[in-house]
Amino acid sequence: MITSTSSTDRAARPELVSAAGQAPGRAPGQRPDRISTENAAFLRAELERQPEVRPEVVARARLLAEDPNYPSAEALRHVAEQILGSPDLSESEA
């Protein structure tokens, strides 16, 4: 026998559901969504401050490549096959 795990106290209340599936309007005084680019100049300057090649990251990559405990090419290939074989959940199945 399969028992229900849904709680009846979580059911939608009819008075909160809008008619004909329409989204409720905005409350008075709410502003529409906006984007602010005031930090863009700061972020661009910080990005330009970063070196194109980071020697400490290259050194870490070399250590990992030499580490026999780092995943082998076969293990990485297997993981890649699993990822490629999985369904793309961002695509709708209409």
Side-chain angles (χ1 to χ4, degrees), residues 4-74:
S4 174
T5 58
S6 53
S7 173
T8 57
D9 65 337
R10 293 188 189 154
R13 294 181 8 208
E15 67 272 14
L16 298 178
V17 178
S18 62
Q22 296 174 348
R26 290 183 187 261
Q30 277 187 328
R31 297 184 310 190
D33 293 338
R34 295 186 316 175
I35 185 169
S36 172
T37 58
E38 64 188 54
N39 291 328
F42 169 76
L43 293 173
R44 191 173 291 114
E46 288 299 309
L47 180 60
E48 290 172 2
R49 261 183 2 101
Q50 297 299 314
E52 198 166 317
V53 176
R54 296 181 3 203
E56 71 279 4
V57 175
V58 173
R60 173 93 170 115
R62 285 189 175 133
L63 286 173
L64 288 173
E66 294 170 2
D67 183 354
N69 296 319
Y70 193 71
S72 66
E74 181 57 34

